[in-house]
Amino acid sequence: MLSSIYKNNVESNNLVNRNITKPKKNNQLIVLIITLISILVIFTLEKTLLNIFEYNDLLKRTNTMLIKHGFSLKKIYIIGKYNLKEKEIVDTAKLIKGQSIFNINLNEVYNNLLLNEWIENVQIKRSLPNTIEIKIKEKKPLAILQTKLGNKLITEDGSIISIANIHDFKNKLPIITGENANIKAFSIITILKQQQDLYKNVWSISYVNNRRWDIHLKQGVTILLPKFNLNKAWNTINFLHKKYQILDLGLTEIDLRNHNKIFGIINLKKTN
């Protein structure tokens, strides 16, 4: 335990902060000073005078003394959680209240938290005598990827959150399909969101043949976008709908793949 304390507190790590605040009680400060002196003595004697059993016993007694004088984990502050629950974060970090505050390896906590698919980055701070602060940055959910194996939540960087509850997002995010659609999704959704009134009608987006997109709207219309000049094509649909209500004409498809022409397919059964 104490060897990890020594190592963790002398290494420089930009992602892990070790903040020591002054204990409120004078006796805690005294215990801390004595403990630090003991650590130096232990490491001096570790490979010379003490055998392994004596060394471990001394570590155990020192650890017990620290806990007895208030240097144990009592508070865990978490900042930046949106989709994760506090218990999930604490369990992933493998933090146990009541353990010695010095016995917590911040590098291990950091690495444990990064194993969670939701977490993009994390900062951890130890504040004496009894607090660990965790600041996380979650990945942002983007869409629901529909595959033969089921539906998965994807984030802005294209990664898949397999542990996410899809039902929490099914009415908030569009569905995307197609090979490599998760990798390309952020760019197309960024374009679609530029016309917010139009984007509200999007319920599904299909990546076709690894080259272009079809946009399925709630009105029952499919917009066939070209491979290039997607912004221009999407702005054209927005203009035509505002001026002529093109999405309310009973069309089933609007084809913009030819930059010189716009083709529309009418569902005759709908119009009769």
Side-chain angles (χ1 to χ4, degrees):
M1 181 276 293
L2 290 176
S3 59
S4 64
I5 295 172
Y6 178 79
K7 181 179 179 181
N8 288 341
N9 285 278
V10 296
E11 289 182 346
S12 174
N13 189 323
N14 292 330
L15 295 173
V16 178
N17 296 320
R18 295 173 177 85
N19 183 35
I20 300 179
T21 56
K22 184 178 179 181
K24 295 181 180 179
K25 297 181 181 180
N26 289 334
N27 64 328
Q28 285 183 322
L29 180 58
I30 295 172
V31 170
L32 180 59
I33 293 172
I34 294 173
T35 302
L36 292 176
I37 294 173
S38 300
I39 291 172
L40 294 176
V41 173
I42 290 171
F43 280 101
T44 301
L45 299 176
E46 178 183 0
K47 295 183 179 180
T48 55
L49 302 179
L50 297 177
N51 61 44
I52 187 64
F53 299 105
E54 292 172 332
Y55 175 70
N56 288 337
D57 181 63
L58 184 56
L59 290 180
K60 184 177 179 181
R61 285 189 282 114
T62 304
N63 198 40
T64 301
M65 178 180 67
L66 287 168
I67 294 174
K68 181 179 179 181
H69 287 84
F71 293 97
S72 62
L73 179 60
K74 293 182 180 178
K75 302 173 185 177
I76 303 172
Y77 294 134
I78 300 173
I79 303 170
K81 64 180 180 65
Y82 297 98
N83 297 291
L84 283 170
K85 296 180 180 178
E86 183 170 321
K87 186 178 185 304
E88 289 180 271
I89 297 170
V90 173
D91 289 347
T92 301
K94 297 182 180 180
L95 292 172
I96 302 172
K97 287 188 176 181
Q99 68 183 119
S100 169
I101 194 72
F102 293 110
N103 204 27
I104 298 172
N105 186 317
L106 299 188
N107 286 321
E108 287 184 5
V109 174
Y110 172 80
N111 290 328
N112 288 339
L113 288 171
L114 285 185
L115 293 175
N116 189 292
E117 294 174 345
W118 272 111
I119 298 177
E120 180 177 333
N121 202 357
V122 61
Q123 290 180 312
I124 306 155
K125 182 169 69 174
R126 175 182 8 233
S127 296
L128 299 183
N130 55 23
T131 302
I132 291 291
E133 298 177 20
I134 300 173
K135 183 178 181 181
I136 65 173
K137 180 182 179 182
E138 289 186 5
K139 296 177 182 178
K140 294 182 179 179
L142 179 69
I144 297 172
L145 178 65
Q146 192 174 74
T147 70
K148 293 179 181 179
L149 299 178
N151 297 336
K152 299 293 183 182
L153 185 73
I154 64 167
T155 62
E156 290 184 350
D157 64 355
S159 59
I160 295 174
I161 309 293
S162 60
I163 61 175
N165 187 345
I166 295 298
H167 295 289
D168 293 340
F169 300 93
K170 64 180 182 178
N171 295 322
K172 302 176 183 178
L173 300 175
I175 295 171
I176 67 166
T177 61
E179 185 180 356
N180 296 319
N182 60 305
I183 300 172
K184 304 291 185 177
F186 180 70
S187 59
I188 182 61
I189 290 178
T190 300
I191 291 173
L192 299 182
K193 282 184 175 180
Q194 291 175 6
Q195 303 295 343
Q196 276 294 324
D197 289 339
L198 201 54
Y199 180 71
K200 292 175 183 177
N201 295 305
V202 174
W203 73 270
S204 176
I205 309 168
S206 301
Y207 194 43
V208 182
N209 297 326
N210 266 299
R211 59 188 300 271
R212 62 167 203 84
W213 296 93
D214 286 346
I215 313 301
H216 307 279
L217 303 182
K218 295 175 183 177
Q219 290 93 332
V221 186
T222 298
I223 310 296
L224 282 65
L225 293 178
K227 181 178 180 180
F228 303 108
N229 298 319
L230 277 71
N231 268 306
K232 182 180 178 181
W234 190 240
N235 289 338
T236 297
I237 292 295
N238 186 61
F239 169 77
L240 291 174
H241 184 58
K242 284 186 175 181
K243 191 165 185 178
Y244 303 109
Q245 290 75 51
I246 192 173
L247 301 180
D248 300 325
L249 297 179
L251 299 175
T252 56
E253 284 187 5
I254 301 175
D255 190 343
L256 294 92
R257 289 177 292 178
N258 186 330
H259 68 277
N260 292 319
K261 298 178 181 179
I262 299 175
F263 295 96
I265 297 178
I266 300 175
N267 186 343
L268 295 178
K269 293 181 180 180
K270 261 188 176 182
T271 57
N272 290 336

